Amino acid sequence: LVIVKNIPKLVLVLIFPIIYLGWHRFLTRWVNFYRGNNITVKFDQACYLQADGEHEYPVKEFNMTME
């Protein structure tokens, strides 16, 4: 699971191409990585979610399970 948070929109647009090179793992200020078989993310307020190309809004909780 990759979570991007608190990144200025301009910075996101400028660095977006490095995602394909895998260099986003070095942006620890804004990008967090989590591993697990069952991950649940709960948000304080409704937010935008993009997962596997699917867009959802509003989202207050997201659960991901590996099979």
Side-chain angles (χ1 to χ4, degrees):
L1 177 63
V2 179
I3 297 179
V4 179
K5 62 180 180 177
N6 300 327
I7 188 169
K9 290 179 184 178
L10 179 61
V11 173
L12 179 62
V13 170
L14 292 174
I15 66 171
F16 193 78
I18 72 170
I19 291 170
Y20 299 105
L21 300 172
W23 295 350
H24 58 292
R25 65 182 178 269
F26 300 115
L27 302 173
T28 57
R29 181 175 178 183
W30 299 298
V31 180
N32 295 317
F33 295 87
Y34 300 94
R35 290 181 185 223
N37 292 328
N38 188 1
I39 298 174
T40 301
V41 180
K42 295 180 182 181
F43 304 101
D44 293 335
Q45 58 185 2
C47 67
Y48 170 83
L49 175 74
Q50 189 277 333
D52 293 333
E54 300 290 325
H55 304 275
E56 295 184 41
Y57 182 82
V59 176
K60 293 274 293 185
E61 182 174 320
F62 176 72
N63 186 30
M64 184 173 82
T65 303
M66 296 289 293
E67 296 180 9

